[in-house]
Amino acid sequence: VQLQASGGGSVQAGGSLRLSCAASPRTSIIGATSWYRQSPGKSRELVARLNGWNIPEYVDSVKGRFTISRDTAKKTVDLQMNFVNAEDTGVYYCYANVKPRPGGRFDDYWGQGTLVTVSS
């Protein structure tokens, strides 16, 4: 199983960006998923989490601005980032509980990071 994080890029403060986390092979089933970020000079922190029952949790600094959701058609877990600010700059990682196929076993995986740069 491999996790792929995508959607990063440069955005102006106040703008929006949507990150996606997908698993391969395509038969993979993604369970609980978290988005972490590592900002310059800081340790990696949890930003948002979607548990196995699709109940979201957010760190206080992104509440009301970010939304984590599951896209069942695309088989991704997305992070919609609105009203971004400079403190949202960092490398974003997805971390998910995934099984490679129905009937397989769930294990935890990290995706590679995707860079988000917010300019003022």
Side-chain angles (χ1 to χ4, degrees):
V1 171
Q2 288 189 329
L3 282 182
Q4 180 79 28
S6 62
S10 296
V11 60
Q12 287 194 326
S16 299
L17 211 57
R18 189 175 185 89
L19 307 182
S20 287
C21 181
S24 60
R26 284 290 292 169
T27 54
S28 297
I29 296 169
I30 303 176
T33 303
S34 300
W35 281 97
Y36 286 77
R37 72 181 170 203
Q38 187 157 17
S39 301
K42 296 184 179 179
S43 56
R44 193 174 297 189
E45 66 168 342
L46 176 65
V47 174
R49 184 176 185 271
L50 192 68
N51 69 14
W53 294 272
N54 289 330
I55 297 174
E57 298 175 60
Y58 303 95
V59 67
D60 286 346
S61 61
V62 308
K63 282 181 181 175
R65 301 188 299 120
F66 290 12
T67 302
I68 187 170
S69 62
R70 190 180 304 279
D71 188 323
T72 53
K74 294 192 303 179
K75 299 181 73 174
T76 61
V77 176
D78 299 338
L79 184 68
Q80 177 66 42
M81 306 166 60
N82 297 329
F83 305 108
V84 297
N85 57 55
E87 293 184 347
D88 296 322
T89 292
V91 179
Y92 284 71
Y93 300 88
C94 59
Y95 176 69
N97 197 229
V98 184
K99 61 180 177 182
R101 60 192 175 281
R105 189 185 76 176
F106 276 108
D107 281 306
D108 293 327
Y109 297 89
W110 283 98
Q112 95 295 350
T114 186
L115 177 63
V116 173
T117 304
V118 181
S119 58
S120 56

